[in-house]
Amino acid sequence: MVTAHIEKRSGRARGRWINALIAVSLACVPGTTGCSDEPKDTITLNIVLTDNGVAPNSFSGWYRINGGATSVIDGANIVYLGSNIYEFTAESDELDTLYVSVSRQDSNDTLEIMVYRKSTKVKEDRLSSGAAGNDLQLEYNYGEEDSSDEKGG
């Protein structure tokens, strides 16, 4: 809070004080409103499966942004990149939280979930070929640092 003592002076001096107080007050407003009006960086979800077996499009799952509706990841959403590599990609520029759950059909496949912010990987998790289990989940909160965790070898 800014407090000013204004002495009884000429109208011109008092007017300058009032103008100065108004300018200071307006300058402080952006600092108190926070960052909520700033646009967020685009977040890209990338899921890659390297298929070492025979089943094409051999992963499925879902993801949820900001606790909203669940989006299904299935064969229709998966792109074949060649060399037995399959990929799913989704983007959001309004993301606060992301939860992803995917499953591979064959434990011989390598499954990776990667999250990028402004084209820089900020979080990842993976199931290596031969690792136990076929399910992989990842949770990302906007702005968190990379906390990758590789499962299996």
Side-chain angles (χ1 to χ4, degrees):
M1 181 175 178
V2 177
T3 306
H5 177 71
I6 301 175
E7 294 181 29
K8 199 169 199 175
R9 294 185 179 170
S10 70
R12 187 185 309 182
R14 193 167 120 207
R16 282 190 223 140
W17 266 102
I18 292 172
N19 288 342
L21 286 174
I22 290 171
V24 168
S25 297
L26 290 176
C28 293
V29 170
T32 61
T33 59
C35 306
S36 62
D37 292 339
E38 292 181 24
K40 291 188 174 179
D41 299 326
T42 298
I43 300 297
T44 303
L45 165 63
N46 190 292
I47 302 170
V48 175
L49 179 121
T50 303
D51 191 346
N52 296 311
V54 294
N57 299 334
S58 55
F59 73 93
S60 61
W62 55 271
Y63 66 97
R64 188 175 297 139
I65 296 173
N66 300 335
T70 299
S71 298
V72 175
I73 302 166
D74 61 18
N77 308 112
I78 299 169
V79 177
Y80 178 64
L81 300 177
S83 300
N84 294 330
I85 299 172
Y86 298 85
E87 178 182 58
F88 170 81
T89 303
E91 292 185 344
S92 174
D93 58 0
E94 294 298 321
L95 186 141
D96 291 315
T97 60
L98 170 69
Y99 188 78
V100 184
S101 179
V102 291
S103 297
R104 61 185 179 183
Q105 294 176 9
D106 184 346
S107 63
N108 291 314
D109 297 343
T110 299
L111 181 63
E112 298 177 83
I113 301 173
M114 295 164 281
V115 178
Y116 293 85
R117 180 176 175 191
K118 290 176 41 177
S119 301
T120 301
K121 189 181 339 179
V122 292
K123 191 161 187 179
E124 70 179 323
D125 206 348
R126 74 182 295 166
L127 282 170
S128 297
S129 176
N134 289 325
D135 300 324
L136 185 60
Q137 289 83 33
L138 180 131
E139 185 171 353
Y140 172 75
N141 294 298
Y142 185 85
E144 77 177 77
E145 297 296 322
D146 182 15
S147 59
S148 62
D149 178 28
E150 183 171 324
K151 296 180 177 154

